[in-house]
Amino acid sequence: MARQAPKIAVENLAKAFGPKTVLDGVNFNVKAGESLVIIGGSGTGKSVTLKCILGLIRPDSGSIRIDGHEVTRLSTSERERVNRKFGMLFQGAALFDSLKVWENVAFGLIQGRGMKRAKARDIAMTKLAQVGLNAQIGELSPAELSGGMQKRVGLARAIAADPEIIFFDEPTTGLDPIMADVINDLIVATVKRMGATAVSITHDMASARKIADRIAMIHKGKIIWEGAAKDIDSSGNAIVEQFIHGSAHGPIQMDVLRA
Amino acid sequence: MNNPLALVGRAFLGFLAQTGRAAQFAGRAIWHSFTPPFFLRLHLAQIMRIGYYSLPVVGLTAFFTGGALALQIFIGGDRVGAEAIVPRIVVLGITRELGPVIASLMVAGRVAAAIAAEIGTMRVTEQIDALSTLSTNPFKYLIAPRLVAAILTMPVLVLVADIIGIFGGYLVAVTELDFNGAVYLQNTYDFLRTNDVVSGLVKAAVFGFIIALMGCYHGFHSRGGAQGVGTATTNAVVTASILILAANFVMTTLFFR
């Protein structure tokens, strides 16, 4: 091939849950080292797209290629191998509450890769320091932390094994604006430092502007607009316009019951 | 929509689909329980939680069951020959049926509920998804240790229940019914059969499998927050209990006919 295959290539991805079509032919590519942000309203299929790429949900049809390799029909063990390329920050952080903070961060190293606990602990503490948390916090249990701190631990866990691709699921949801900005800064800093490819989903435009190289908007199971982050304000697309200005009036009609 | 036959048909198809899903889940759970890697530390932790911490509950229920059994047989039976009949039925009833069944039902209430609530919460907070993204198979990390621990510990619990149950019967017979203790023990010993005990322990292992499987299955497939986890917990206990009684009937038929 003359030019390098995209890091992630998604083609005609479709998924329905019962009678409800969630993804209706999603197409996008992400180049290596690029940060793509997928924006869209609640329930438009953002999370399902991510979970399909991660192999947590099996798509009905379509193709997902990572580094040019098809990953939609892998066996469990092949999937585990592919998943080593990924790190994921979950919306609610999804920390294991039975484990200490540092054990959470080191989890992928110890369980996934069989690293010695002492060595994994050192790496975990380094990663925690990178997200601004000290060693004392590493000894706490996740339930003792605030939402913002849990997100930071989640970020440390996502980057612990130096993944090539990192996913962020609503990284700023549920945080105050300042903590949200702290998380955004951390995401930009860690992704740039590691040279990783990043895919984020969010409906927080401030966050999207800050962390995106490119933005794609998903609506009714399709990508309806895609372009450089700086072009988002001149998209010329009525749906994008309505979304980024957060207006209740426009082509997107919310099904709100009026009494 | 209103056709009653269609409703029955839909319910039946739903039942079949659910059974198929559960069977598939059971197959995967068994496969991952006996293929490496094993998380031995987690296995030990579950053996403590499922086995050791169930001892008080199992011991108490077995004690009262044995006592009540002795009393009923004495009241309902012929007073002549009661010295032989009561210990005989107590030892038979406890080792063959009541020991395994009552102990398992108690453990189902305790353990299946706890497993379903824990795994269900992990499901709805995306912790199970997080396991997969960290290259850890949830079947190996979460389900296998619980399944193996329940299968290994239930027979031990039932053995303890057998002993305490028979002791409960003895205590009631000697203190309340004026039986001679030495004669009671001799009669118990004479009627104690290895096969009765072993069949009870085999039952116990099967019941342990059912308990852990139902807890894991319902927890793993729970949906929609706190209410979903609550439903999963209820379903785990109810299905585990029903399956235990049904499996008990099948095994009794196989072993003793």
Side-chain angles (χ1 to χ4, degrees):
Chain A
M1 266 188 285
R3 63 195 189 87
Q4 208 188 352
K7 195 76 182 167
I8 306 170
V10 176
E11 260 175 54
N12 288 322
L13 196 65
K15 177 74 190 176
F17 293 104
K20 191 173 184 293
T21 303
V22 179
L23 301 181
D24 186 17
V26 169
N27 293 286
F28 64 85
N29 289 335
V30 191
K31 292 198 289 277
E34 183 182 45
S35 171
L36 174 74
V37 171
I38 302 173
I39 57 172
S42 308
T44 48
K46 302 189 300 282
S47 290
V48 175
T49 307
L50 273 198
K51 288 186 174 176
C52 283
I53 301 175
L54 281 167
L56 300 173
I57 295 176
R58 197 159 270 214
D60 296 335
S61 64
S63 134
I64 299 166
R65 289 193 306 275
I66 307 292
D67 291 326
H69 297 290
E70 182 64 44
V71 296
T72 43
R73 294 280 179 265
L74 292 182
S75 71
T76 316
S77 59
E78 287 171 321
R79 184 77 238 181
E80 275 176 29
R81 233 185 339 271
V82 172
N83 274 359
R84 290 187 182 190
K85 293 183 180 183
F86 295 121
M88 166 103 181
L89 173 58
F90 287 86
Q91 189 174 346
L95 301 177
F96 306 124
D97 35 33
S98 57
L99 302 176
K100 287 179 192 166
V101 165
W102 79 261
E103 288 174 321
N104 265 282
V105 177
F107 191 92
L109 301 171
I110 297 172
Q111 308 295 357
R113 287 154 204 246
M115 189 183 281
K116 288 268 174 293
R117 278 176 73 82
K119 191 176 171 213
R121 191 173 186 279
D122 288 343
I123 294 176
M125 290 305 185
T126 314
K127 298 291 176 183
L128 280 171
Q130 283 177 17
V131 297
L133 299 174
N134 60 32
Q136 276 129 17
I137 287 172
E139 299 295 334
L140 298 177
S141 92
E144 296 174 82
L145 305 182
S146 68
M149 278 185 172
Q150 289 188 354
K151 277 273 163 78
R152 286 201 252 177
V153 176
L155 179 59
R157 184 175 70 181
I159 62 172
D162 296 319
E164 297 166 31
I165 303 166
I166 314 178
F167 292 126
F168 300 99
D169 184 356
E170 310 265 1
T172 56
T173 301
L175 302 178
D176 67 71
I178 296 168
M179 184 50 80
D181 204 49
V182 170
I183 297 287
N184 287 334
D185 282 340
L186 277 173
I187 289 174
V188 172
T190 45
V191 170
K192 288 282 173 288
R193 180 173 50 230
M194 295 165 61
T197 308
V199 179
S200 320
I201 58 181
T202 187
H203 48 234
D204 173 359
M205 282 313 299
S207 172
R209 286 172 202 277
K210 191 142 191 176
I211 59 185
D213 296 327
R214 269 190 324 127
I215 296 180
M217 165 119 191
I218 191 166
H219 182 61
K220 291 192 171 163
K222 282 190 168 73
I223 302 283
I224 54 147
W225 185 85
E226 196 182 337
K230 60 180 175 16
D231 297 336
I232 186 85
D233 292 308
S234 52
S235 66
N237 184 310
I239 297 175
V240 176
E241 285 290 310
Q242 186 193 350
F243 187 83
I244 63 177
H245 295 118
S247 167
H249 306 286
I252 309 175
Q253 287 299 322
M254 290 287 164
D255 301 324
V256 183
L257 284 176
R258 286 172 211 282
Chain B
M1 254 331 230
N2 295 323
N3 184 346
L5 283 177
L7 284 177
V8 172
R10 229 190 319 275
F12 186 65
L13 287 178
F15 169 76
L16 289 184
Q18 185 80 10
T19 311
R21 254 198 306 277
Q24 210 175 21
F25 184 89
R28 281 180 76 185
I30 293 171
W31 169 255
H32 287 295
S33 294
F34 298 103
T35 50
F38 302 107
F39 297 96
L40 283 180
R41 194 202 291 248
L42 297 175
H43 282 74
L44 287 175
Q46 291 303 328
I47 285 173
M48 284 298 283
R49 278 185 56 188
I50 296 174
Y52 184 71
Y53 293 123
S54 294
L55 271 175
V57 180
V58 167
L60 279 173
T61 40
F63 180 79
F64 291 121
T65 306
L69 186 62
L71 212 53
Q72 284 288 14
I73 296 158
F74 182 76
I75 295 166
D78 194 350
R79 306 270 158 138
V80 184
E83 293 260 322
I85 293 291
V86 171
R88 178 180 187 174
I89 303 220
V90 166
V91 75
L92 208 74
I94 292 285
T95 53
R96 281 189 179 186
E97 295 290 331
L98 291 172
V101 171
I102 299 226
S104 302
L105 288 177
M106 293 310 293
V107 176
R110 219 186 81 84
V111 171
I115 291 176
E118 187 181 9
I119 294 187
T121 305
M122 291 187 75
R123 164 60 74 198
V124 299
T125 56
E126 296 188 306
Q127 290 180 51
I128 293 182
D129 289 343
L131 276 179
S132 302
T133 65
L134 296 166
S135 294
T136 305
N137 187 330
F139 272 82
K140 289 213 189 315
Y141 188 79
L142 290 177
I143 293 171
R146 286 166 174 78
L147 211 60
V148 171
I151 294 172
L152 290 180
T153 55
M154 266 322 289
V156 181
L157 283 172
V158 166
L159 202 60
V160 173
D162 285 352
I163 295 165
I164 296 180
I166 291 168
F167 174 68
Y170 164 83
L171 216 61
V172 167
V174 171
T175 57
E176 292 293 310
L177 310 176
D178 296 328
F179 279 37
N180 180 311
V183 176
Y184 189 99
L185 281 184
Q186 186 60 48
N187 276 325
T188 299
Y189 186 73
D190 287 346
F191 287 113
L192 187 64
R193 299 265 181 283
T194 309
N195 278 349
D196 291 345
V197 177
V198 170
S199 73
L201 300 188
V202 172
K203 282 180 173 181
V206 174
F207 298 160
F209 172 72
I210 291 172
I211 290 167
L213 185 73
M214 286 299 108
C216 292
Y217 173 75
H218 288 285
F220 206 77
H221 294 96
S222 64
R223 287 281 175 274
Q227 198 184 7
V229 175
T231 312
T233 309
T234 310
N235 287 345
V237 176
V238 171
T239 51
S241 305
I242 293 172
L243 284 177
I244 284 170
L245 293 172
N248 181 57
F249 175 73
V250 172
M251 283 189 285
T252 299
T253 317
L254 288 177
F255 294 157
F256 298 108
R257 277 190 67 193

